[in-house]
Amino acid sequence: MNRSLVLIAGLGLSMFFQTLASAGSLVIENVTLLSPELAQPLGNRYVLVRDGRIESVSDHPITAPAGARRLDGTGKYLTPGITDAHVHVSQAIGLPFGSNDPAIAAMEKSFFAQQPRSYLYFGVTQVLDPSNMKEKVDEFAAQPQHPDIYRCGAAPVVDGYPLIFIPPAVRHQIYNEYIFEPANAKEHPLPAGANPAEHTPEAVVDRIAASGARCVKVFIEDGFGGATDWPLISLDTLKRVRTAAKKHGLYVAAHANALDMQRRAIEANVDIIVHGIWNWNALDGQQGMPKEIADHLKTIHDRGILYQATLRVLPGVTDLLDPTLLDDPVYPKVVPPALLAWYHTEPAQWFKLEAFGPKVDAAAVVAGVRAANEHWATEEKGMRALRYLYELGQPMLLGSDTPSGPTYGNQPGYDTFREMQLMAASGIPLSAIFAAGTINNARQIGLDKDYGTVEKGKIANLLLLEANPLSSVEAWSKIDTVILRGEPIARETLAANAKP
Ligand SMILES: [Zn+2]
């Protein structure tokens, strides 16, 4: 190609990009604006979006750039998109691991294609995945429509949770990022062939930082249910992880949900505990707020440690026992049709069997969970603890931990919404839930320059709602349009059962 042809081609390209840019402008007209930094909603606002960012917010009609699209916001509410700061995008929910069945593979494929759209369907425009599955995160981000995704790196100890669920012979190959824990050296030595220098807390954190993660996740877990003998991370190792993480400007997120485990997290001065406290150890049967739990929560608050309640974790498992679960009219919106049909089959009940055994009294468990959630002030420990923290002035955060296990009781997007419903049921005011899912989460991940409010300069990931989320939590499921980097997407086109 000669030089003038190159020039012409270049000119054509730049004109093409200019056209794209103006086509990328959007004006949202006459809308009621809800943004967490505002004391109250602002009516009759006009929001101009250009090149994926908010350019201006005005209280009078604005002249739209040529070619700009318009969205009539009359009678509707404009909010920032929701951030769910605890999701796991690497699991095709409910499907068995390591199957060679082509039908299962096809369902997996459809799950991963739909998953980002299901988050968007519920207004979740940013997610954070705190596990190590970089490939799956990249696959999520390669889908044509997807929330902005960020990740942490996970640092389990040799043989510890969550590796304990992978067969011993392959666990350290499947999941090759792990820390050698000297305190467990005798029973849980470094796997044969592993280089000790690569599995110190410092070496693991260095690699996590180099991978582009925003945080390091540690697991403080000595066993589920009655178990207390899983290999545990020591306080000394936790402190080394923290020091190494700070060197790289990463924050430390700790999995811990029992009183003794959360105490260790506090002692190690982690930045955030990513589960609510629902195991009160010896205090489990107590009503109200036992002093020891109150003191513990006050310590969390006083030390400035953040706290994600993840209220949906336990109900997400017990939901499997609910015979009406799969009749939920939302399921066809977030689960691909073939997968939903499969959930009804016998093989799909494998995790239910594993979790509850064949003889469980399903009706009794379901009724018990419902009653506990309803009478949370005396019954449900996680909800009680969250409410107590709120009253102390703790900033609320939103993390659904979807899926918390291989349970089809957790579904992408839908569980974020249900987490908000449970927060509301715990007596958390709607304004605090709004802040949790928007500015507080953005700040927690260190992304509040880009997300969390409807203000000039922020990324235009926005929601046009049909109802006011400061009047009812249900408004978070009354979405008209999801705006993704300035691109308006009609909600129903995101449904798993949408006509192409
Ligand atoms: Zn999790």
Side-chain angles (χ1 to χ4, degrees), residues 70-259:
R70 294 153 177 271
L71 213 50
D72 181 8
T74 308
K76 301 197 172 83
Y77 301 85
L78 188 72
T79 73
I82 294 293
T83 297
D84 189 333
H86 191 160
V87 309
H88 299 280
V89 303
S90 55
Q91 274 188 53
I93 296 176
L95 289 166
F97 303 110
S99 163
N100 298 319
D101 182 343
I104 300 278
M107 285 188 277
E108 252 176 34
K109 208 173 151 214
S110 71
F111 174 86
F112 288 121
Q114 174 60 32
Q115 173 172 239
R117 292 156 45 83
S118 294
Y119 278 111
L120 294 173
Y121 186 85
F122 273 97
V124 180
T125 53
Q126 298 82 233
V127 294
L128 177 89
D129 185 330
S131 57
N132 255 351
M133 307 298 182
K134 190 170 182 304
E135 274 167 42
K136 284 295 181 189
V137 167
D138 292 346
E139 186 182 332
F140 183 96
Q143 298 300 321
Q145 292 170 314
H146 61 86
D148 296 343
I149 185 164
Y150 299 91
R151 45 176 280 278
C152 298
V157 294
V158 171
D159 291 326
Y161 174 78
L163 302 184
I164 198 151
F165 289 117
I166 307 173
V170 291
R171 65 172 63 128
H172 298 106
Q173 280 106 58
I174 290 179
Y175 203 94
N176 59 12
E177 199 59 278
Y178 51 86
I179 294 175
F180 168 66
E181 172 52 71
N184 306 336
K186 222 173 125 220
E187 290 189 27
H188 304 282
L190 204 61
N195 176 357
E198 288 175 9
H199 297 282
T200 63
E202 294 76 17
V204 169
V205 171
D206 281 353
R207 283 195 297 276
I208 286 173
S211 76
R214 304 199 68 84
C215 62
V216 179
K217 185 172 177 188
V218 290
F219 303 88
I220 314 179
E221 180 62 72
D222 64 355
F224 291 170
T228 54
D229 57 349
W230 297 358
L232 190 60
I233 189 166
S234 68
L235 186 58
D236 182 54
T237 300
L238 279 170
K239 287 180 173 167
R240 284 173 63 184
V241 167
R242 187 174 189 279
T243 305
K246 291 296 134 185
K247 217 181 75 195
H248 290 287
L250 303 181
Y251 67 91
V252 177
H255 161 105
N257 54 51
L259 179 58

Side-chain angles (χ1 to χ4, degrees), residues 339-478:
L339 181 58
L340 183 53
W342 183 79
Y343 284 164
H344 283 92
T345 67
E346 196 67 43
Q349 313 316 315
W350 69 273
F351 180 65
K352 187 190 339 187
L353 266 175
E354 202 176 289
F356 301 102
K359 287 195 188 131
V360 62
D361 183 348
V365 175
V366 171
V369 171
R370 274 198 198 134
N373 284 336
E374 216 166 294
H375 304 287
W376 60 272
T378 52
E379 300 288 328
E380 217 290 323
K381 291 169 288 201
M383 293 169 84
R384 245 182 292 167
L386 181 64
R387 172 63 192 239
Y388 191 82
L389 271 172
Y390 170 75
E391 283 170 357
L392 290 176
Q394 177 83 358
M396 296 290 99
L397 298 175
L398 176 65
S400 64
D401 193 13
T402 305
S404 60
T407 167
Y408 58 75
N410 291 138
Q411 292 295 337
Y414 189 27
D415 252 70
T416 313
F417 172 59
R418 293 211 279 184
E419 182 74 23
M420 293 165 107
Q421 285 180 312
L422 275 183
M423 289 171 81
S426 310
I428 307 303
L430 295 169
S431 58
I433 297 172
F434 182 35
T438 54
I439 188 62
N440 292 359
N441 263 8
R443 212 172 269 149
Q444 183 246 305
I445 309 171
L447 292 168
D448 46 318
K449 244 180 64 219
D450 286 327
Y451 304 104
T453 62
V454 185
E455 288 179 289
K456 181 178 158 70
K458 299 249 174 152
I459 291 174
N461 285 359
L462 305 166
L463 306 177
L464 194 58
L465 303 177
E466 286 157 5
N468 183 346
L470 298 179
S471 302
S472 162
V473 75
E474 301 305 312
W476 292 113
S477 184
K478 293 179 179 151

Side-chain angles (χ1 to χ4, degrees), residues 40-79:
Q40 56 201 36
L42 298 175
N44 310 101
R45 263 23 189 202
Y46 294 78
V47 177
L48 170 62
V49 172
R50 208 195 288 259
D51 299 334
R53 290 201 183 246
I54 298 168
E55 187 160 294
S56 65
V57 178
S58 318
D59 58 2
H60 54 269
I62 48 177
T63 317
R69 272 170 297 180
R70 294 153 177 271
L71 213 50
D72 181 8
T74 308
K76 301 197 172 83
Y77 301 85
L78 188 72
T79 73

